[in-house]
Amino acid sequence: MAERNGDKSRVPVTIRIPEAILKEIDNKVEQEELPISRNHWIVEALVEKLKKNHNGN
């Protein structure tokens, strides 16, 4: 079930994350100057990782 957002579709995904990592993510989200959601933080991290892999890092 994808939602349309401009030209980008979004698909809901369920992931299992170890509790310790989730706590670290929540700590990082709380430290942001502007409020962002946990989901947004995770998507940003995924995009960053994909860009690094694409660039050969």
Side-chain angles (χ1 to χ4, degrees):
M1 180 180 289
E3 297 175 23
R4 297 298 294 171
N5 184 359
D7 292 330
K8 299 176 184 178
S9 62
R10 302 200 178 236
V11 179
V13 176
T14 302
I15 59 173
R16 292 179 182 89
I17 300 174
E19 187 175 359
I21 293 174
L22 190 58
K23 286 180 181 180
E24 285 188 54
I25 291 170
D26 286 343
N27 287 336
K28 293 291 185 188
V29 167
E30 289 174 9
Q31 293 173 7
E32 293 288 332
E33 287 185 33
L34 297 173
I36 64 169
S37 69
R38 177 195 290 162
N39 186 75
H40 185 85
W41 191 95
I42 292 170
V43 171
E44 278 187 346
L46 292 170
V47 169
E48 184 178 318
K49 179 70 172 181
L50 288 169
K51 284 181 180 178
K52 283 183 180 180
N53 285 340
H54 182 72
N55 292 332
N57 294 330

